[in-house]
Amino acid sequence: MAILPPGFISDRSGNFGIMTALLVVPLFGAAGMAVDFAHALSLRTQLYAAADAAAVGAISEKSGAVAAAMKMSGDGTISLGKDDARNIFTSQMSGELTDVHVDLGIDVTKTANKVNSLVSFSATMPTTFMRILGRDTVTISGTATAEYQTATFMDFYILLDNTPSMGVGATATDVATMEKNTSDTCAFACHETENKNNYYNLAKKLGVSMRIDVVRQATKELTQTAKTTRVSDNQFRMGVYTFGTKAEDAKLTTISDPTVNLDQVRTYTDAVDLMTIPRQGYNNDQQTSFDSALDQMKTIITTPGDGSTSATPQKILFFVSDGVGDSEKPQGCTKKLTGKRCQEPIDTSFCQPLKNKGIRVAVLYTTYLPLPKNNWYKDWIRPFQNEIPTKMQECASPGLYFEVSMTQGITEAMKELFLKVIRAPRITS
């Protein structure tokens, strides 16, 4: 019988080595797991960044997907957006990610006035240390989404006051030149057809710019602003109207019907000119009926939509005028009459029905110029001169009024007012 050494049973000095041997595999496995997971998390972060870039970039403002959505009449999938998202995602892959196979799920859709993108990814990453524990791979996955609200579709009906008062000199220098070169110190370039030596021809000879000349050019430039601002070629339609070509048949005249062909609108606008009159004092100078023009525009402009699609555009009346009405109006004139002749600031009761219909009214007031040397002005217009801008602003929808003096640029003023219209928040519910 063997005899054990004294204290053998109570001796524990070899336990550490035994325990270490038993724990070395799980310890190394745990350390390796931390390294592998840290690596996987790093790659996952990079893949999320690529997915985010793809989701946002595929439906950015100038993207093909948004342009396609603007042309769609209904909801649906936008295949072009899927291709763009995939290309953007791939372009973000660099370093070791270029060797990793990534399964992508991409969905780009239009619903009402919103474009949504969804980019999902899944990749299998090989492990290093975790293989000790029998884990050869780690799966990384995630999803990125983005939403873009499409630009508003709008129809612009541009109503230009081309009545005789818009024949006044465009600047103080132009006014002074006309007054200096006319026997009655007249600042208006009256377009008389029965007088070959009329002041309209004189203004042309002297190189004087009339207010109507500047408005015509500003309207043409506005079509260019709309072209460079639009997201798609069908976002804006424009139509141009005047108060008529001649006083003998003064009625609303269509220069250009509303169309997305803004180059055509620009070309047609060349036809805008000062209304002709047969002779001085024709029809008691009653050629400016805002009441009639606004009534007719209310009929021409159909019921507006919310602007979410090309089939439901918002409708905007873009009204450019010096704000003084002069027409036969024996009933309802807001100022004293001369017989049946009514000279007054714009009667805003004819603006309200347009707004009640849901039409937004943008008003550019080309400041009515004081003419202290003109007796007609002193007797009839000066008494209510200060009311003119107030009434013009009252005619406009909230925030869509702009006054431009003769020292300012009408072109820039029209552009600024246009941008205010298209950037105003849209109420959808």
Side-chain angles (χ1 to χ4, degrees):
M1 174 175 158
I3 298 175
L4 295 174
F8 178 82
I9 294 176
S10 61
D11 189 355
R12 300 289 186 269
S13 61
N15 282 0
F16 179 77
I18 295 170
M19 292 299 293
T20 299
L22 293 173
L23 293 175
V24 67
V25 173
L27 285 173
F28 275 114
M33 183 184 296
V35 173
D36 282 336
F37 269 114
H39 180 225
L41 287 172
S42 175
L43 295 181
R44 182 172 180 267
T45 299
Q46 295 177 60
L47 289 172
Y48 256 118
D52 285 338
V56 173
I59 59 171
S60 63
E61 181 178 0
K62 297 297 183 180
S63 67
V66 168
M70 292 285 285
K71 295 179 181 179
M72 293 170 62
S73 58
D75 300 339
T77 299
I78 306 173
S79 58
L80 179 61
K82 291 185 177 183
D83 295 336
D84 287 345
R86 186 175 299 278
N87 291 336
I88 293 170
F89 185 93
T90 302
S91 70
Q92 302 296 309
M93 305 288 277
S94 61
E96 65 178 302
L97 283 178
T98 57
D99 298 324
V100 175
H101 174 72
V102 181
D103 291 319
L104 279 180
I106 300 173
D107 195 20
V108 180
T109 58
K110 173 182 177 289
T111 304
N113 64 327
K114 293 180 180 179
V115 182
N116 293 280
S117 64
L118 182 150
V119 178
S120 60
F121 63 87
S122 178
T124 301
M125 314 296 299
T127 61
T128 302
F129 297 101
M130 289 175 63
R131 293 182 180 182
I132 298 172
L133 301 178
R135 185 75 176 272
D136 295 333
T137 60
V138 173
T139 299
I140 302 171
S141 62
T143 301
T145 60
E147 180 181 279
Y148 178 87
Q149 183 167 317
T150 57
T152 305
F153 290 89
M154 296 181 178
D155 287 352
F156 287 87
Y157 298 77
I158 304 174
L159 177 59
L160 304 177
D161 183 353
N162 69 325
T163 56
S165 65
M166 293 297 283
V168 72
T171 67
T173 300
D174 291 320
V175 169
T177 300
M178 289 299 294
E179 290 178 339
K180 180 180 177 181
N181 288 275
T182 53
S183 58
D184 54 353
T185 62
C186 181
F188 292 94
C190 297
H191 201 175
E192 302 168 77
T193 56
E194 296 177 3
N195 177 12
K196 293 182 179 179
N197 297 317
N198 61 59
Y199 290 170
Y200 177 89
N201 291 337
L202 176 62
K204 295 292 186 181
K205 182 179 178 180
L206 295 172
V208 168
S209 290
M210 295 169 280
R211 183 61 66 88
I212 191 63
D213 294 327
V214 179
V215 167
R216 177 176 58 251
Q217 186 58 36
T219 304
K220 292 173 66 176
E221 292 303 314
L222 189 62
T223 64
Q224 296 302 108
T225 299
K227 279 187 65 175
T228 58
T229 306
R230 65 188 181 184
V231 175
S232 66
D233 57 13
N234 66 334
Q235 183 184 358
F236 301 134
R237 295 198 311 162
M238 283 188 169
V240 179
Y241 307 82
T242 68
F243 283 54
T245 57
K246 57 183 181 179
E248 301 95 306
D249 186 26
K251 62 182 179 181
L252 197 73
T253 298
T254 301
I255 302 299
S256 172
D257 286 313
T259 175
V260 296
N261 188 342
L262 301 182
D263 288 332
Q264 177 179 294
V265 177
R266 179 182 175 87
T267 299
Y268 286 0
T269 300
D270 277 326
V272 172
D273 205 351
L274 193 66
M275 180 187 291
T276 64
I277 57 173
R279 57 193 171 276
Q280 281 281 9
Y282 173 79
N283 193 30
N284 204 20
D285 292 329
Q286 300 170 135
Q287 280 93 44
T288 310
S289 177
F290 293 143
D291 304 358
S292 175
L294 294 174
D295 258 347
Q296 291 177 75
M297 290 307 301
K298 182 171 69 71
T299 301
I300 289 172
I301 304 174
T302 55
T303 303
D306 62 4
S308 61
T309 70
S310 59
T312 58
Q314 291 186 4
K315 305 295 178 75
I316 297 92
L317 174 63
F318 202 100
F319 180 38
V320 183
S321 174
D322 59 19
V324 175
D326 191 345
S327 64
E328 183 176 323
K329 188 179 178 181
Q331 301 295 326
C333 184
T334 60
K335 299 298 175 184
K336 66 178 181 178
L337 291 167
T338 305
K340 295 182 179 180
R341 183 183 183 186
C342 176
Q343 299 170 86
E344 63 179 351
I346 187 170
D347 185 343
T348 58
S349 67
F350 289 86
C351 305
Q352 193 59 45
L354 288 154
K355 292 185 278 189
N356 290 345
K357 190 176 179 179
I359 299 164
R360 298 164 68 194
V361 180
V363 173
L364 179 66
Y365 169 47
T366 57
T367 309
Y368 198 98
L369 305 178
L371 302 169
K373 296 181 181 180
N374 187 291
N375 290 328
W376 163 79
Y377 165 81
K378 289 188 289 185
D379 293 342
W380 294 99
I381 307 302
R382 186 165 62 183
F384 62 76
Q385 173 87 47
N386 293 337
E387 297 178 42
I388 303 172
T390 302
K391 290 296 183 180
M392 289 293 273
Q393 184 168 11
E394 186 180 328
C395 181
S397 297
L400 299 184
Y401 168 77
F402 197 96
E403 178 178 358
V404 55
S405 72
M406 63 182 179
T407 60
Q408 294 174 299
I410 290 180
T411 298
E412 286 304 310
M414 287 185 74
K415 177 180 178 180
E416 185 169 340
L417 182 57
F418 172 80
L419 294 176
K420 286 178 70 175
V421 171
I422 66 173
R423 291 170 180 171
R426 182 173 71 240
I427 299 174
T428 57
S429 63

